Amino acid sequence: MNTPLVEEEQAFEAARARYQEIGVPFPECVVRVSSPLAGTFAAPIAACLATGHRNRRVLDSVLRAVDDTAGERIGRAVRDAVEAATAGSTRGSVHGAAATALHADLPAARGRAKRDDLWDTVNEAVDADLRAAVEAAVGGARQDTIRGEIRRLWRARLPAPGVWWWWPFRDFVLFCPPPSDVHREPAGEDEQARPRLHRADGPAVAWKDGFGLCFWRGTHVPPAVVDDTLTADEIIREPNAEIRRCAIERRGWDRFVIEARLDQIGPAVPDPGNPGQTLTLHDVPPGVYPTNVRVLLCTNGTVERDGTRRRFGLTVPAACTDPIEAAAWTYGLTPAQYAQAQRRS
């Protein structure tokens, strides 16, 4: 996704308006950062340096923590942004209060910029990941000025078209543009449905420095879900029900049933609605879903492009006692009616 120049100028104008409302000149030093994560660390570090913080040992430890938790690519982006923001103040006299953050002073937007629900979802996911990144890097008991400022200033969003992040100070301001890459899945045939953020082989929302957000069919998930690296036991122990569901979908019920060693209820039976295929019913451990359920493993009635038939799972009430009853329930039929069903697709 390329950010049009007109949208960038609108974002800067929105920022200038916020400064004007409190009577503070818009800074000459404007720094564009590569991602919200880079800005989250760069802005408070630059502010500390600009106000006279000179403890190199602490600064180096913070930058190493950023490298260790966010990756060296983000670390380089943070260093570049800090250097750009403090190029003037660190060579001359200390600016003192001139580097003070203005978040508390700046008024809120006078009316929300028009955007679709996708950006609200992105905003929430960015906030969650930034908070986690800050706590991972500097959230320990040991505190100093830099660490304290990072934890205080991590969150900043600019009321502007699209979705922009910013960190406003008296003598410099950092901006982060919208993501460079956004993946959505089709909305489907439902006219009321909206496209959902989704990608099965990487971040669905990504910035150029490598920071990204993973989504599975509209749900914000950890990268391990999309990468399919969780063990079955880790999936079962996941406390968030939505993430558990997404992880199982990503893994596929056919694999998950085997890896999680789910008990099978009765023998496999021929599928009346799909000649040549079988149905099996399995117990699902309590807590995997909000309510007690069983899972019916069945085979798609149509052939995939590669000539195979996809094996998939459907959750059914725990009261279902055999595969035919479970399959009938998914169609709203009685077991006798489903037994007489024609081939399904």
Side-chain angles (χ1 to χ4, degrees):
M1 174 185 294
N2 295 319
T3 304
L5 292 178
V6 64
E7 183 176 297
E8 180 172 316
E9 185 57 33
Q10 288 174 337
F12 288 178
E13 287 303 323
R16 291 187 186 96
R18 303 284 83 73
Y19 274 82
Q20 186 176 13
E21 288 182 43
I22 61 172
V24 175
F26 190 73
E28 293 184 6
C29 182
V30 176
V31 179
R32 183 168 174 150
V33 296
S34 54
S35 72
L37 184 55
T40 289
F41 289 112
I45 291 174
C48 287
L49 292 178
T51 53
H53 195 289
R54 293 293 183 268
N55 191 330
R56 294 299 309 184
R57 181 179 59 80
V58 172
L59 176 59
D60 289 343
S61 73
V62 170
L63 291 175
R64 284 197 302 271
V66 173
D67 289 339
D68 292 342
T69 58
E72 293 185 3
R73 190 174 174 186
I74 295 292
R76 287 195 300 271
V78 170
R79 289 171 174 83
D80 290 345
V82 169
E83 182 178 351
T86 60
S89 62
T90 57
R91 285 197 299 266
S93 60
V94 174
H95 283 203
T100 302
L102 299 176
H103 291 74
D105 301 321
L106 291 170
R110 298 184 186 279
R112 183 177 172 182
K114 185 178 180 180
R115 61 178 64 138
D116 61 33
D117 292 340
L118 177 142
W119 292 127
D120 291 334
T121 302
V122 170
N123 281 329
E124 293 175 3
V126 167
D127 284 353
D129 279 16
L130 293 188
R131 184 189 295 274
V134 167
E135 289 304 304
V138 301
R142 182 181 176 185
Q143 291 294 316
D144 69 289
T145 304
I146 289 179
R147 290 185 174 92
E149 287 298 278
I150 289 174
R151 297 187 76 179
R152 185 173 73 89
L153 300 177
W154 67 270
R155 180 177 179 175
R157 190 173 306 129
L158 177 64
V163 56
W164 287 72
W165 287 262
W166 74 327
W167 294 263
F169 297 84
R170 287 185 178 271
D171 60 349
F172 65 86
V173 59
L174 275 63
F175 285 97
C176 175
S180 57
D181 204 12
V182 177
H183 295 257
R184 305 179 233 193
E185 67 173 359
E189 298 179 359
D190 185 354
E191 294 182 357
Q192 301 300 318
R194 294 172 178 250
R196 298 181 297 185
L197 292 166
H198 175 75
R199 188 180 176 188
D201 59 355
V205 181
W207 283 260
K208 292 181 178 179
D209 64 6
F211 175 62
L213 308 168
C214 290
F215 283 85
W216 183 263
R217 293 173 181 159
T219 298
H220 179 215
V221 297
V225 171
V226 171
D227 295 341
D228 195 21
T229 57
L230 297 173
T231 66
D233 287 342
E234 287 173 332
I235 293 174
I236 290 174
R237 292 197 303 269
E238 165 58 48
N240 185 291
E242 280 295 290
I243 293 177
R244 283 198 307 272
R245 175 186 60 78
C246 293
I248 293 172
E249 287 183 8
R250 177 67 179 93
R251 177 66 46 84
W253 274 108
D254 55 336
R255 289 177 53 200
F256 184 74
V257 162
I258 296 172
E259 294 172 8
R261 302 175 295 278
L262 301 188
D263 292 336
Q264 183 171 321
I265 308 301
V269 299
D271 185 353
N274 197 356
Q277 307 301 323
T278 60
L279 301 170
T280 57
L281 186 63
H282 303 263
D283 265 333
V284 176
V288 173
Y289 277 81
T291 58
N292 289 335
V293 296
R294 284 175 170 165
V295 62
L296 174 72
L297 273 189
C298 44
T299 305
N300 201 357
T302 56
V303 179
E304 303 293 324
R305 291 182 179 180
D306 61 4
T308 62
R309 292 182 184 273
R310 184 172 63 90
R311 190 84 166 150
F312 63 97
L314 299 171
T315 55
V316 298
C320 290
T321 57
D322 67 75
I324 298 296
E325 179 186 6
W329 179 87
T330 66
Y331 285 94
L333 302 174
T334 66
Q337 288 171 328
Y338 185 77
Q340 302 299 317
Q342 298 296 315
R343 181 182 180 86
R344 59 179 170 81
S345 59

